Amino acid sequence: MHFDSSSYTYNSKTKELKYQNTSVSLKEYTISSSVIFYNKEKNFLKFGKDTVIDSKKFILFADSGFLDENTHHLSLYQVSGIDLKTNLRIYADQVERRKDGSFIISNVTLSYCKIGDELWDIQAKELYYHTNDFAKEKGAVIRLFKIPVFYVPFFVWSTQIKKKSGFLTPKMKVHRNSNNLLNSGLHVQIPYYLALSQDQDLTLTLHSVQKRGEGLASKYRYHFRKNTFGEFNTFLLYESRFIRSTQEENIASVLQGSNTKQHARRYLYHWQDTRELGGGQLYIDSVANSDNQILYEYFDEDNKLIEKYHHYIDYAYNWVSGGIVTGMHKQSIFTNESVLNKTTDSDTHLNRLPYVELYHSVFPFYSNSFLLGTKLGYTYYNRKYGWNTSTITIDTSFSYAFNLSFLHFYPKITRQFSFNGIGYKPDPTQTEIKDLHANFFIDTAEVETNFTLYHFFYTDQQATSKIQITPRLIYRRVTDRNQRDLLDKTSAPNEHITHTPADYAKFDPMFSPLTYGENNLTARLDFTYLKKNQKENYIFPLVGISLIQQFDLMNESDSPFLSERYKGPRIPLENRQISPHSHALPLNVLFNFSTESNYQALLSYRYNYQTHSILETEANFSSTPIDRVSFGLTYHNNKKEYQLLNGDLRKKENTYTLENNVLFLDKLSSDISATWDTNRTQAFFDSDPSHKRLHRQLTAFTFALHWIGSCYVLNFNVANKIQEHTQGGDKQEYIDTKFSMSVTSAQFLSSPVVNNLF
């Protein structure tokens, strides 16, 4: 025992030494206090106010206390403290340290939050606390915002950094939706973590959904060997509090016109496994969902078509300059929006049995800058109804790169041949279509070369900026010998010349996107001036200019030669960027500018030579004008709907998008985003009677507030946007309004490390 004190006095009657502003160094910790009384005969210490107990494991503050060095018994009164390993804060009337190093704490309050900012805490009459093992409470009450919400007669959790079973952070959110079918109310999740062994664990999560019912989720993880690991997730909930109606969900094929109602059983599972096998790697991925809405309603994912199931098995074997990949895929997609109806999607069942890809690269020279690669692939698709095909692809590529002090040169040549044997089997409702069979062959070639000229500028022998100019030439040709043969078999003679993508739509969904013919040359020139921030050591583009000019060498669609050579879908005349027999497509011009002070601007144009006018404009500006405020505005004006050379459609629109983030206080911030489409005019709404659109130009709006506490995050979100669904064959727009509120605790009484198995 060693005292370090500014002064001391001795009382002969009590035989005590009184130390002022002193600290005592013991074997396991240090005691500091404004006053310490020490009885040398009894080996007994008493502490006054402002007592601090400091060790590598914990820090405790007390108003008073004593230490018996003979029995190693320590008692403290009116105590506050923190466990340095887990950051758990403790407030108690009394703390007693026993000989084995454990603590008995009376009338205790526990929380990870700072005083005055408690999201939750736990109060108990008595707590047994082992800093290297576990803690055990009796008569515990869990409080939320100091309001008692749950009584636990017996509560145990880990106090170690390593994995140990215990409760994880609970989650709470509230969902309100304008669509009653998606309005689920308060959703509480309480997870419990089970450390099964060093190489596997299990997390069980209780879900309680106010307007649905109770559910259970599980996550099992394993990592048995270096390259053998996986994860299995499940979720199951029976909607005991919600009765779904076939009338309310607008189901055409399930009990139409009936008042029959039923509770839905919602479930999903996802299994992923990776392991070594025969010198290669085996991958397994399996997914199943009960319905098309489960991820949106319970897990906040986008409301879009999802998979009923998929089962993928893949095997990869690599060698020094190549490898082989093979496997079997099977999947099905939901196309019906209802939770109840799962019987009308037979045309989306897809089996992929099997596929094989063989690739090989060689380096005939001593330099790795030369690369010659080949790949051979085979795939067989099979559906009950719809498209079926077997596909053979052959890919070759050549590239060569070298560098000089001022120049980088990189030419590349790729070639792909695709042989497709296809057939179409109509489902029972397609009485006007017969079984079809045909073959087609697609040849794709691309040649690219680019130079990069650059120069560095130096200050004090350090590079501070750089100018680089990159001219590029890309030639691309896609030739389809007879992709159109299936349509020819269902059309009158010579009618195939006028076939459009709309004609192919009756065979959707196809096994792969339609291939559009291309014969084009792209010339691109990029100029960039880069600067380096010497203090923070990062590089940013100060100024950038790009000129992109494409030439459509195939824009003579009425030519008998091209009609004979290419038999795939054509871009309709009204969606072409230029008139027939012209070749120079509109010029694309891009400007970008940024500064070290967080100002960025981007401006792009699409300029038409024929009309001497700008067809498309996009401008984006973002900045942080003052501390804690960020702002972004995007404007996009496309005056005419058109298709790119690969068939991608760019819709006519005139939109404004605003994004704003403000940090009001150290804890409170807000996010706002909104999109307006001023192109949604009366003519737009009335253009297609079968497509019922809403008379509204504000297409999307979101507002969010975030309160970040010392141990929690409170989120408040409102989202309002235009959605679209199909009913009775007609498309309809509707307003989807979603309100959500969630409270997430940063820590709870559990093992702090559960993200990794080791």
Side-chain angles (χ1 to χ4, degrees):
M1 184 184 300
H2 174 73
F3 287 88
D4 184 5
S5 175
S6 60
S7 64
Y8 70 91
T9 59
Y10 178 72
N11 190 326
S12 59
K13 293 182 180 180
T14 60
K15 298 183 179 180
E16 288 182 340
L17 288 166
K18 181 181 178 180
Y19 292 91
Q20 301 285 347
N21 301 319
T22 187
S23 63
V24 182
S25 299
L26 302 172
K27 183 178 180 181
E28 297 181 1
Y29 48 84
T30 300
I31 303 175
S32 302
S33 181
S34 58
V35 178
I36 294 181
F37 297 91
Y38 176 54
N39 189 314
K40 190 173 182 179
E41 292 183 359
K42 296 181 179 180
N43 208 11
F44 188 87
L45 292 91
K46 291 190 300 183
F47 320 119
K49 292 185 178 181
D50 307 322
T51 298
V52 179
I53 314 295
D54 189 356
S55 79
K56 295 181 180 180
K57 300 176 182 178
F58 58 85
I59 297 178
L60 298 176
F61 304 88
D63 283 353
S64 61
F66 66 84
L67 170 64
D68 188 341
E69 266 291 277
N70 296 320
T71 61
H72 300 285
H73 180 79
L74 172 69
S75 291
L76 302 171
Y77 302 94
Q78 302 303 314
V79 181
S80 63
I82 183 171
D83 188 319
L84 297 177
K85 288 185 177 181
T86 63
N87 292 321
L88 179 66
R89 300 175 186 272
I90 301 172
Y91 312 95
D93 290 345
Q94 182 178 349
V95 174
E96 294 187 22
R97 183 183 185 273
R98 299 189 294 185
K99 188 175 181 179
D100 61 359
S102 64
F103 293 88
I104 300 177
I105 308 175
S106 303
N107 297 324
V108 62
T109 300
L110 304 173
S111 179
Y112 286 105
C113 306
K114 294 181 179 179
I115 299 176
D117 191 30
E118 296 92 345
L119 166 68
W120 64 268
D121 59 36
I122 294 181
Q123 290 186 331
K125 293 182 178 180
E126 196 170 53
L127 167 66
Y128 298 91
Y129 199 86
H130 298 260
T131 55
N132 290 324
D133 194 0
F134 68 93
K136 178 175 63 176
E137 273 186 307
K138 292 182 179 180
V141 176
I142 300 176
R143 303 193 307 173
L144 185 64
F145 295 112
K146 296 186 178 181
I147 300 174
V149 294
F150 197 64
Y151 173 75
V152 183
F154 187 77
F155 199 74
V156 179
W157 73 92
S158 171
T159 60
Q160 300 181 77
I161 294 298
K162 65 181 183 180
K163 293 194 314 173
K164 194 163 185 178
S165 300
F167 284 96
L168 301 180
T169 305
K171 296 182 180 180
M172 180 179 66
K173 57 187 177 182
V174 179
H175 278 178
R176 303 290 185 192
N177 200 290
S178 56
N179 184 346
N180 183 58
L181 295 172
L182 306 178
N183 189 6
S184 57
L186 177 65
H187 186 173
V188 179
Q189 301 176 45
I190 303 176
Y192 188 81
Y193 176 76
L194 292 166
L196 302 178
S197 65
Q198 182 64 22
D199 50 16
Q200 57 183 328
D201 58 26
L202 174 66
T203 302
L204 299 174
T205 303
L206 174 65
H207 289 250
S208 180
V209 188
Q210 179 185 8
K211 297 188 176 182
R212 292 291 188 268
E214 275 66 46
L216 182 66
S218 67
K219 176 187 287 188
Y220 171 66
R221 303 184 301 175
Y222 53 90
H223 197 149
F224 299 125
R225 293 191 297 274
K226 180 180 179 180
N227 293 316
T228 299
F229 53 90
E231 184 174 306
F232 186 77
N233 298 295
T234 66
F235 173 73
L236 175 64
L237 186 142
Y238 176 66
E239 294 186 341
S240 58
R241 301 194 191 107
F242 186 66
I243 301 176
R244 291 187 173 269
S245 168
T246 55
Q247 288 183 330
E248 192 175 13
E249 296 199 48
N250 298 314
I251 301 172
S253 60
V254 178
L255 304 174
Q256 182 64 30
S258 169
N259 291 323
T260 301
K261 300 179 181 181
Q262 68 183 70
H263 298 279
R265 291 175 173 82
R266 319 293 293 277
Y267 67 85
L268 62 83
Y269 81 80
H270 188 188
W271 177 40
Q272 293 177 299
D273 181 89
T274 301
R275 61 184 61 236
E276 286 185 344
L277 182 67
Q281 202 79 15
L282 178 69
Y283 306 91
I284 299 175
D285 193 287
S286 182
V287 168
N289 295 292
S290 62
D291 56 81
N292 190 44
Q293 292 286 349
I294 186 169
L295 296 179
Y296 175 72
E297 291 188 35
Y298 295 113
F299 298 97
D300 299 326
E301 295 194 14
D302 291 338
N303 189 10
K304 59 185 179 181
L305 297 181
I306 65 172
E307 293 172 312
K308 288 182 178 180
Y309 62 81
H310 78 234
H311 310 298
Y312 299 161
I313 299 178
D314 301 278
Y315 180 76
Y317 185 87
N318 299 317
W319 50 81
V320 175
S321 59
I324 185 170
V325 180
T326 184
M328 182 191 331
H329 288 191
K330 183 177 181 181
Q331 69 182 117
S332 178
I333 309 296
F334 280 108
T335 60
N336 193 292
E337 296 179 355
S338 169
V339 171
L340 302 178
N341 187 4
K342 311 177 192 63
T343 61
T344 60
D345 302 306
S346 57
D347 61 329
T348 67
H349 290 265
L350 171 62
N351 299 316
R352 193 178 181 185
L353 310 167
Y355 75 94
V356 179
E357 292 181 357
L358 177 67
Y359 54 95
H360 188 73
S361 302
V362 295
F363 304 93
F365 299 144
Y366 66 90
S367 172
N368 288 344
S369 59
F370 179 87
L371 174 65
L372 176 64
T374 60
K375 184 168 74 173
L376 172 66
Y378 170 76
T379 305
Y380 173 68
Y381 296 83
N382 178 41
R383 281 192 175 119
K384 182 177 181 181
Y385 303 113
W387 291 105
N388 301 274
T389 182
S390 58
T391 303
I392 298 175
T393 57
I394 301 174
D395 291 277
T396 58
S397 63
F398 163 83
S399 63
Y400 181 66
F402 67 88
N403 295 280
L404 299 175
S405 60
F406 62 92
L407 172 67
H408 172 72
F409 177 59
Y410 182 73
K412 183 180 180 181
I413 301 173
T414 61
R415 191 76 181 266
Q416 181 187 86
F417 301 93
S418 177
F419 304 89
N420 301 274
I422 64 175
Y424 185 84
K425 183 175 179 60
D427 66 49
T429 64
Q430 296 176 301
T431 56
E432 77 283 2
I433 303 177
K434 298 180 180 180
D435 289 6
L436 305 174
H437 300 279
N439 301 290
F440 64 86
F441 162 60
I442 295 176
D443 178 10
T444 303
E446 188 170 298
V447 179
E448 175 182 352
T449 182
N450 66 73
F451 301 84
T452 300
L453 301 169
Y454 53 88
H455 178 73
F456 287 97
F457 297 91
Y458 294 87
T459 301
D460 297 331
Q461 297 183 345
Q462 289 188 349
T464 57
S465 59
K466 175 186 178 183
I467 287 181
Q468 63 182 35
I469 301 175
T470 305
R472 299 172 61 187
L473 282 176
I474 304 172
Y475 173 73
R476 178 176 172 81
R477 187 194 69 200
V478 180
T479 303
D480 170 29
R481 299 300 183 189
N482 46 8
Q483 188 181 179
R484 202 171 53 202
D485 278 3
L486 281 179
L487 287 179
D488 293 344
K489 294 184 178 182
T490 60
S491 308
N494 299 324
E495 185 186 348
H496 63 273
I497 295 178
T498 60
H499 281 323
T500 67
D503 298 312
Y504 290 84
K506 62 183 178 181
F507 300 115
D508 283 347
M510 202 173 177
F511 61 90
S512 62
L514 297 171
T515 302
Y516 286 74
E518 296 183 53
N519 188 17
N520 57 77
L521 178 67
T522 301
R524 176 166 182 158
L525 179 64
D526 296 311
F527 167 84
T528 308
Y529 179 58
L530 303 167
K531 288 203 68 177
K532 182 178 182 180
N533 185 304
Q534 300 291 343
K535 293 183 178 180
E536 300 182 15
N537 196 29
Y538 69 88
I539 299 172
F540 64 95
L542 182 66
V543 178
I545 302 174
S546 298
L547 303 175
I548 306 171
Q549 177 62 66
Q550 277 191 306
F551 299 90
D552 185 3
L553 308 179
M554 196 175 174
N555 191 34
E556 301 195 26
S557 57
D558 298 328
S559 160
F561 170 74
L562 287 177
S563 295
E564 180 62 30
R565 182 178 181 182
Y566 183 77
K567 295 187 176 182
R570 303 287 175 79
I571 297 176
L573 183 62
E574 62 272 16
N575 281 349
R576 296 181 189 175
Q577 301 185 57
I578 53 177
S579 60
H581 308 294
S582 298
H583 298 294
L585 296 180
L587 174 68
N588 287 281
V589 184
L590 292 85
F591 302 92
N592 64 76
F593 172 78
S594 61
T595 68
E596 295 182 67
S597 55
N598 295 324
Y599 286 87
Q600 296 89 31
L602 174 66
L603 181 64
S604 65
Y605 294 104
R606 194 166 60 92
Y607 177 77
N608 192 324
Y609 298 104
Q610 297 176 341
T611 60
H612 302 288
S613 62
I614 295 175
L615 300 177
E616 188 172 5
T617 303
E618 182 169 344
N620 175 268
F621 176 78
S622 61
S623 70
T624 306
I626 58 176
D627 189 28
R628 301 186 177 189
V629 176
S630 62
F631 173 83
L633 179 64
T634 301
Y635 168 69
H636 183 215
N637 183 10
N638 179 27
K639 298 180 179 180
K640 180 182 179 297
E641 183 176 276
Y642 67 95
Q643 284 181 268
L644 299 178
L645 297 179
N646 63 0
D648 290 345
L649 180 66
R650 298 293 176 89
K651 293 185 177 181
K652 178 182 178 181
E653 63 178 7
N654 189 31
T655 61
Y656 297 84
T657 300
L658 171 68
E659 296 179 342
N660 178 250
N661 175 266
V662 180
L663 180 62
F664 296 103
L665 304 169
D666 291 337
K667 296 182 178 181
L668 181 64
S669 66
S670 70
D671 293 297
I672 300 175
S673 66
T675 301
W676 291 266
D677 188 355
T678 61
N679 189 57
R680 292 169 63 91
T681 60
Q682 183 68 38
F684 171 83
F685 296 117
D686 298 337
S687 60
D688 185 0
S690 65
H691 195 163
K692 299 180 181 179
R693 296 182 170 94
L694 298 175
H695 289 249
R696 182 171 123 162
Q697 294 184 353
L698 180 63
T699 58
F701 172 79
T702 60
F703 173 74
L705 282 175
H706 313 284
W707 183 273
I708 304 175
S710 61
C711 64
Y712 65 93
V713 178
L714 176 63
N715 294 302
F716 173 87
N717 298 275
V718 176
N720 181 284
K721 61 181 178 180
I722 295 177
Q723 295 276 35
E724 185 179 273
H725 68 93
T726 302
Q727 181 179 352
D730 295 335
K731 293 182 178 180
Q732 293 185 349
E733 289 184 345
Y734 67 95
I735 300 294
D736 181 39
T737 302
K738 182 178 179 182
F739 163 78
S740 65
M741 182 176 68
S742 63
V743 181
T744 303
S745 174
Q747 287 179 292
F748 198 63
L749 300 179
S750 63
S751 173
V753 180
V754 295
N755 291 327
N756 300 305
L757 282 175
F758 301 110

